[in-house]
Amino acid sequence: MESLPKTVTQLFVTFVTNILANHNQNTGDSHTARELLTSVGWMAEHGVMNHLIVFDERYLKSYNVRNDKHLFSCFMMESSQPSNMDYTFLHLTLQEFFAALAHFIDYNADRLQKTLHAAESYNDGRAEILLRFLCGLSDSSTSFLLKSHVGELSVQAAGDVITWIQHKITKEQRSDKRKLLNTFYYLHENRNKALVSQCIGSNNIDLSGISLSPLDCSVLSSVLQSCTESEEVKLNSCHIRDEGLRKFIPALHSMKRLGLYNNDLTDSSCPYLASVIRNNQTLRTLNLSGNNLEGPHFRDLMEALTTSRIEGLLLYGNHLTHSSCPHLASGIKNNQTLRTLNLTDNNLEGPHFRDLKETLTTSKIAERVWKNGRRVRRFANVEGAKSANRLYSAP
């Protein structure tokens, strides 16, 4: 790799490769390393599937693991009781990596299918990282680094895993959202843009209602960047904060409708949201309702609106006050495409409300609203904040 690791699999491939390159007493002897990694890998998989992280001499003997090899001590630690020696991997994630690697060193189609079936059947997530490593090692550019140290890795194993991903994502798109997010991790680790395009394409993505960590946002972003165009992405009530939103920015460039309703977005999120709007000329509907965007940076969002092609903007329940009215007025006045604006459940009462009202009376929004919207016609004839808090556009 010419740059830093981009996936967890690449990170562990780099780590193991460095150990094989610098701590193998039989440098250049791929057979020795291959033999050890195979036996250690099968023992590791048994441990992953059975919640086992401590192995005694019986396990080593059962899986033909020779602890007299120097490389063995680079991957596993001994307990401090010589009379009853136990061994553990340096880290549980390393154990999971070796469990996946064994399938590419010592490929057996039936055994791999059995592992895939068993791993996805566990509801406690015990094999989730193992599955991600299997997907990551199926990327030839990721596994290539290991070739000079352990020999050829199985192309058939990679093909089997990719086929499994294809079936998996087709099934999960219609079922559990959390499981769908897991399949995005598989695609992220696999790094196959053609596969992403095939599996997701322009399908709508809805992960509403599940909490998305910054890492989840980063993974989802990397997958979405491989999609040429998505009609709609719904991330409502996902507890996305500034850090997660910042990671999304590179991916939010091609969708037509974006839902970010009821997240933890605040005024400090507005510069990121502004960047999303400026860099996406296909975006037509943006739902930012149920956040708290009131503050000095709200101006950035409205300035970005002036150069966008957004037709619908929903700002319901954002704690907006009269100080936001001049920015709203400027954004509406200078936008040529906006037709739908929802400002319900804000508090726009105050001296600057007149700026917004005057703009609406001459805007294209107002033209439609005055003709079609009973509630807004009432607003046209009533002064004050109560009507302002009911302001919407035509449906």
Side-chain angles (χ1 to χ4, degrees), residues 179-375:
K179 290 181 178 179
L180 177 60
L181 178 61
N182 286 338
T183 62
F184 289 142
Y185 272 88
Y186 305 151
L187 290 170
H188 171 67
E189 292 293 330
N190 188 253
R191 292 172 47 80
N192 187 326
K193 291 184 178 181
L195 181 62
V196 173
S197 182
Q198 176 189 347
C199 292
I200 298 178
S202 60
N203 291 337
N204 295 342
I205 296 173
D206 186 358
L207 294 175
S208 299
I210 64 173
S211 295
L212 296 179
S213 68
L215 178 58
D216 294 333
C217 293
S218 181
V219 167
L220 181 56
S221 177
S222 75
V223 172
L224 288 175
Q225 287 179 68
S226 297
C227 300
T228 55
E229 183 175 310
S230 297
E231 280 290 322
E232 183 172 27
V233 175
K234 291 183 179 179
L235 304 174
N236 302 318
S237 301
C238 290
H239 302 287
I240 299 170
R241 299 184 179 181
D242 287 358
E243 184 180 357
L245 183 62
R246 179 174 57 81
K247 293 180 182 297
F248 270 129
I249 289 176
L252 303 180
H253 59 84
S254 61
M255 62 203 59
K256 293 183 179 179
R257 298 187 298 276
L258 174 61
L260 291 170
Y261 167 80
N262 194 33
N263 281 289
D264 299 319
L265 305 181
T266 63
D267 170 64
S268 61
S269 304
C270 287
Y272 302 126
L273 292 167
S275 178
V276 170
I277 293 174
R278 281 193 297 266
N279 294 311
N280 183 345
Q281 289 301 304
T282 65
L283 189 63
R284 295 296 180 268
T285 303
L286 178 61
N287 187 349
L288 296 174
S289 299
N291 292 292
N292 185 9
L293 300 181
E294 171 67 17
H297 295 295
F298 183 71
R299 179 177 183 174
D300 298 335
L301 180 60
M302 291 298 100
E303 287 180 350
L305 181 66
T306 64
T307 60
S308 76
R309 299 180 66 186
I310 289 178
E311 298 173 359
L313 178 62
L314 284 70
L315 293 169
Y316 173 100
N318 263 286
H319 305 282
L320 299 178
T321 68
H322 76 98
S323 62
S324 295
C325 287
H327 308 313
L328 281 164
S330 177
I332 294 167
K333 182 178 181 179
N334 295 296
N335 179 282
Q336 301 301 310
T337 58
L338 191 63
R339 296 293 182 274
T340 300
L341 176 66
N342 188 332
L343 292 172
T344 307
D345 197 22
N346 286 290
N347 184 20
L348 301 176
E349 179 179 5
H352 296 298
F353 174 66
R354 182 176 297 276
D355 298 334
L356 177 60
K357 182 181 176 183
E358 290 177 354
T359 299
L360 286 170
T361 59
T362 58
S363 71
K364 293 182 179 180
I365 299 176
E367 290 173 8
R368 288 186 61 187
V369 172
W370 274 201
K371 292 176 182 177
N372 301 310
R374 179 180 177 184
R375 295 184 70 181

Side-chain angles (χ1 to χ4, degrees), residues 170-184:
T170 300
K171 180 174 67 175
E172 302 305 355
Q173 280 179 333
R174 301 190 299 267
S175 58
D176 186 271
K177 292 179 181 179
R178 177 58 66 179
K179 290 181 178 179
L180 177 60
L181 178 61
N182 286 338
T183 62
F184 289 142

